[in-house]
Amino acid sequence: MFNVGMTSRVLLTRRAFLADLGRGSAAIAVLSVVGCGQAPTSASSTPSSASSRPSAATASSGPTTPASAATRLNASPGPSAAATPGGSGGGEAAWTRVELGFVSAYILVRDGEAVVIDTGVAGSDDEIKTALGGLGLGWSDVGHVILTHKHSDHAGSVVPVMTAATGAQGYAGAADLRAIIAPRPLTAVTDGATVAGFRIVATPGHTLGHISVLDETNGILVAGDALGTVGGTLAGSNPQFTEDAAAAKASVVKLGNLRFETLLVGHGDPIEGGASAQVKALGRG
Ligand SMILES: [Zn+2]
């Protein structure tokens, strides 16, 4: 699956893209993708990039997007999208993980309608499309796109994703909303709101507008970067990239008081089975 030919083609594409854009903000966004340390960059670039939104959208909509080259260069597992279906079995999958290298997006499906939660770094739209296809769904089945927070490794592909998913409404926490560039206005969601039957849980700290998504029916929590399992260890928000440490800790306690079996995080593998008890224990620590 991975071969040298593919790599060099991607590199060439990326180079051409950067040459085309020159000092454009989209190029800056591509180069700055590393992880959740990019909050200041993405936030500060917001005003200037807002005006270049159409060109960024156009550049991302091609079949081999340069930004996906950035994804692949950073992706340790390899260049191919890996969609991991999970959930209760016996019927449609309750959730699917879209592995995008060091970060994951997720797709929850209810009544044939897909809810995309986070969008990875810029150029991840092809992988998300592939994951939808694995569920027998396409862009037209995406009714909602929820961004857990503004960081560029989570909101990085919201422009191509919402451009392709023409019927999708987008959501983010109010405090993060203005830092996110999207092709259509996003809806600010607050604690307790529901989107497609899923409950929004405000989990500030990692960013002030960070939100998590709880599927109460299937016992699934999508926690974004409020929790992580990098290296197999459950932890709260990475202190290095946390805007408000006290709030982040309170959010861990809050999540530990919810009931869910499966935990899906932005960075690291899912915990399947007894997840909320582990989060509760973490909150006590
Ligand atoms: Zn983050």
Side-chain angles (χ1 to χ4, degrees), residues 189-195 197-203 211-212 216 254:
V189 282
T190 53
D191 192 56
T194 57
V195 174
F198 302 118
R199 178 175 152 196
I200 302 298
V201 183
T203 44
I211 56 172
S212 300
E216 294 172 289
K254 180 180 185 179

Side-chain angles (χ1 to χ4, degrees), residues 41-98:
T41 303
S42 61
S44 63
S45 68
T46 299
S48 61
S49 14
S51 60
S52 64
R53 185 184 308 164
S55 66
T58 305
S60 307
S61 61
T64 51
T65 69
S68 70
T71 306
R72 286 163 184 167
L73 290 169
N74 284 325
S76 48
S80 54
T84 310
S88 50
E92 67 181 275
W95 56 273
T96 290
R97 178 187 184 190
V98 190

